[in-house]
Amino acid sequence: MNSQLVALLQKEANIKSSSTALSTGVINKSTAVTIAHTEILNRRNSAITVRVIVINWDSGSPVVLSTTNRTIPANRFSSFSTNVGGIQFHYEVVVVTSRTTNVIINNFGTNAAFVPQEGSTVLNNDLVRIRL
């Protein structure tokens, strides 16, 4: 992985050795998409910590648009939304989490009314584990 991106994500995510990073990969943003919306379901019997990082790739180099940290209690759901209206073409969502077993993460590119837009959905099974 590009060392610039690794350094950027390590800085943003304050990575711990027990953390796992999952990526949507670069998403080709349609003009209707204004929000990167991530939904995380914690079906575990214990809380998890998550960090959702949205990256603008329009310049060809990573630019962090937002970083959101949260603890999700056991058997709870949480959602994260970032305005990507200023991104013209490409963005990525990276989720750094303390656990992945019994944790379901789905990402949607939505319009302002939170309606998912075709071609902008990356579901849990499509996420790619990345090394940071």
Side-chain angles (χ1 to χ4, degrees), residues 2 4-5 8 26 54-65 87 90-92:
N2 177 318
Q4 178 188 6
L5 178 58
L8 179 70
V26 175
V54 179
I55 301 168
N56 180 343
W57 281 98
D58 278 351
S59 69
S61 295
V63 177
V64 173
L65 183 63
I87 295 175
H90 300 100
Y91 71 93
E92 173 188 20

Side-chain angles (χ1 to χ4, degrees), residues 19-85:
S19 296
T20 299
L22 302 168
S23 171
T24 59
V26 175
I27 296 172
N28 190 358
K29 180 184 166 292
S30 75
T31 55
V33 171
T34 58
I35 298 170
H37 184 75
T38 302
E39 298 180 345
I40 302 176
L41 175 61
N42 178 12
R43 290 192 171 268
R44 299 175 58 80
N45 290 327
S46 59
I48 60 169
T49 57
V50 297
R51 183 165 298 193
V52 176
I53 304 166
V54 179
I55 301 168
N56 180 343
W57 281 98
D58 278 351
S59 69
S61 295
V63 177
V64 173
L65 183 63
S66 74
T67 302
T68 307
N69 306 304
R70 196 171 297 159
T71 297
I72 303 175
N75 295 303
R76 296 293 299 266
F77 159 83
S78 191
S79 62
F80 303 75
S81 296
T82 300
N83 185 325
V84 293

